Amino acid sequence: MRPLRALSIRQPWAWAIVALGKDIENRKWRTHHRGRTLIHAGKGLKSQDLEDFLGLAEAEPAIMARLTAAGGLPMDHLREQCGGIVGAVEIRDCVTHSDSPWFVGRFGFVLANAEPLPFRPCPGQLGFFTPADGSMPAPAPRPAIEPEPDLFSHPRHA
């Protein structure tokens, strides 16, 4: 079984895919990739992305209705879910036109069957990428001679 590829998407757009039914991911480039894909939320939450998202919601009643039903933008949740895998979606097509209220780009990746996943920290990359170790970051290299572990000061227990 091949590991799933991931696509890095900035917040709040990644959240909109898994929580609001965003069915188009806008890009300046075409893809031939199809199938189940992990959604990686980029490591930053930028005010411009929030403004663009809210502007689109105000202009599109269907998106505003979904946002209102969800209780608005969950800012704390968005801040916590940056820099890792947040969900999975099926990419079905790549189009240059769509009636979806989410379509605003030159190319739109048609999305279906989105599902949230428990947040897993993971470095992102440009384009599609295969996360190391099934979407988890690769372990840090260990020193050749390892000192005796101190269970109370080890980073995992700090």
Side-chain angles (χ1 to χ4, degrees):
M1 184 172 161
R2 272 180 37 194
L4 291 178
R5 294 171 79 192
L7 182 63
S8 193
I9 300 169
R10 294 190 306 247
Q11 291 288 26
W13 307 105
W15 172 78
I17 291 170
V18 299
L20 295 185
K22 181 177 186 267
D23 60 354
I24 295 283
E25 172 56 19
N26 297 286
R27 296 289 163 143
K28 293 179 181 176
W29 45 275
R30 176 182 306 277
T31 186
H32 297 287
H33 174 75
R34 303 291 184 270
R36 204 80 184 138
T37 304
L38 295 169
I39 299 299
H40 175 274
K43 68 180 181 176
L45 180 60
K46 298 181 179 184
S47 60
Q48 185 62 55
D49 289 315
L50 293 168
E51 289 174 26
D52 291 347
F53 178 85
L54 292 172
L56 181 62
E58 289 173 4
E60 294 289 346
I63 295 173
M64 183 56 83
R66 290 179 185 182
L67 182 59
T68 301
L73 277 175
M75 292 305 297
D76 289 341
H77 178 76
L78 293 177
R79 285 186 193 97
E80 292 167 0
Q81 294 218 333
C82 288
I85 303 297
V86 297
V89 70
E90 181 182 339
I91 297 179
R92 291 198 170 164
D93 202 357
C94 179
V95 299
T96 57
H97 173 72
S98 173
D99 291 333
S100 169
W102 297 101
F103 184 81
V104 296
R106 182 171 176 201
F107 296 104
F109 300 174
V110 179
L111 310 176
N113 303 317
E115 66 175 318
L117 295 174
F119 179 77
R120 293 181 282 179
C122 170
Q125 296 178 27
L126 295 176
F128 289 96
F129 65 98
T130 302
D133 191 25
S135 81
M136 295 300 288
R142 298 185 116 168
I145 300 174
E146 197 168 307
E148 286 293 315
D150 178 350
L151 295 178
F152 295 101
S153 65
H154 193 278
R156 285 186 243 159
H157 299 285

